[in-house]
């Protein structure tokens, strides 16, 4: 837990948001590099899924890479590596909320969300992580704001994201192989 004066908490919040914004700008400016990373196999899968999960700039890019690589590499490994990458990146979003708590501390939505998380937190984190949805990044930020234990957040995110990515990788495996067989490229 961050202790200290409200000024230190505010500075930490501003710093964490600045790092997130800087990452977003770098990713946008170097999009061709992100495309090159996708050719790195398992390492590229991990890097892209980490970047896609820790920023708002690459939404959906991780799912596309996981689906595609699942068709050409071992789908179980691709799903596991992608899940680990997304869980690692989600911790970055979590830390943005954790550091930025002082900025949104008085928000009435936080009180309602905190009560909901006390009753259904583990289920909500797992389900949100297991679905392909555009609101996971803000959700992860709010988990940081609410000070959900980072170990619990990481574990549930890892389980949910790995399940989601396994499904995507196997869909890619069966989908791409079927298309290649129809085209006569594979026997």
């Amino acid at each position: 837990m961050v202790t200290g004066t409200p000024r230190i908490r505010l500075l930490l919040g501003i710093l964490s948001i600045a790092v997130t914004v800087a990452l977003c700008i770098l990713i946008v400016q170097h999009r061709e590099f992100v495309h090159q990373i996708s050719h790195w196999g398992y390492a590229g899968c991990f890097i892209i899924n980490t970047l896609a999960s820790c920023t708002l700039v690459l939404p959906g890019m991780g799912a596309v890479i996981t689906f595609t690589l699942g068709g050409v590499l071992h789908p179980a490994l691709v799903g596991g590596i992608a899940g680990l990458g997304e869980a690692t990146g989600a911790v970055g979003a979590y830390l943005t909320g954790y550091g930025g708590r002082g900025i949104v501390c008085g928000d009435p939505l936080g009180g309602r969300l905190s009560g909901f998380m006390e009753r259904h937190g583990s289920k909500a984190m797992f389900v949100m992580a297991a679905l392909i949805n555009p609101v996971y990044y803000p959700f992860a930020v709010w988990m940081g704001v609410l000070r959900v234990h980072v170990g619990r957040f990481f574990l549930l995110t890892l389980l949910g994201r790995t399940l989601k990515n396994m499904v995507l990788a196997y869909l890619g495996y069966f989908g791409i192989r079927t298309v290649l067989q129809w085209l006569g490229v594979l026997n």
Side-chain angles (χ1 to χ4, degrees), residues 45-46 48-54 79-95 129 136 140 150-165:
C45 180
F46 178 81
I48 288 177
N49 278 289
T50 300
L51 291 174
S53 189
C54 76
I81 290 169
L84 180 62
E86 285 196 33
T88 302
V91 171
Y94 170 93
L95 292 174
Y136 189 75
V150 70
R152 178 175 158 219
F153 173 79
F154 179 79
L155 178 64
L156 291 167
T157 299
L158 177 64
L159 293 172
R161 290 298 190 184
T162 299
L163 174 65
K164 175 194 77 150
N165 284 300

Side-chain angles (χ1 to χ4, degrees), residues 7 10-11 13 28 34 41 60 65 71 76 95 98 111 121 123 126 134 141 144 164:
R7 183 176 177 189
L10 178 63
L11 289 173
V28 168
V34 172
I65 295 299
L95 292 174
Y98 194 91
K123 291 179 277 192
F126 176 78
V141 171
K164 175 194 77 150

Side-chain angles (χ1 to χ4, degrees), residues 75-152:
L77 288 174
V78 170
I81 290 169
L84 180 62
E86 285 196 33
T88 302
V91 171
Y94 170 93
L95 292 174
T96 299
Y98 194 91
R101 182 175 189 198
I103 296 171
V104 293
C105 199
D107 188 359
L109 176 64
R112 283 183 261 148
L113 190 55
S114 180
F116 175 81
M117 289 306 296
E118 285 178 18
R119 292 186 305 278
H120 309 287
S122 295
K123 291 179 277 192
M125 282 187 278
F126 176 78
V127 168
M128 287 294 287
L131 298 175
I132 297 174
N133 66 62
V135 297
Y136 189 75
Y137 179 85
F139 178 81
V141 171
W142 270 108
M143 295 304 96
V145 168
L146 295 175
R147 301 285 202 250
V148 170
H149 188 274
V150 70
R152 178 175 158 219

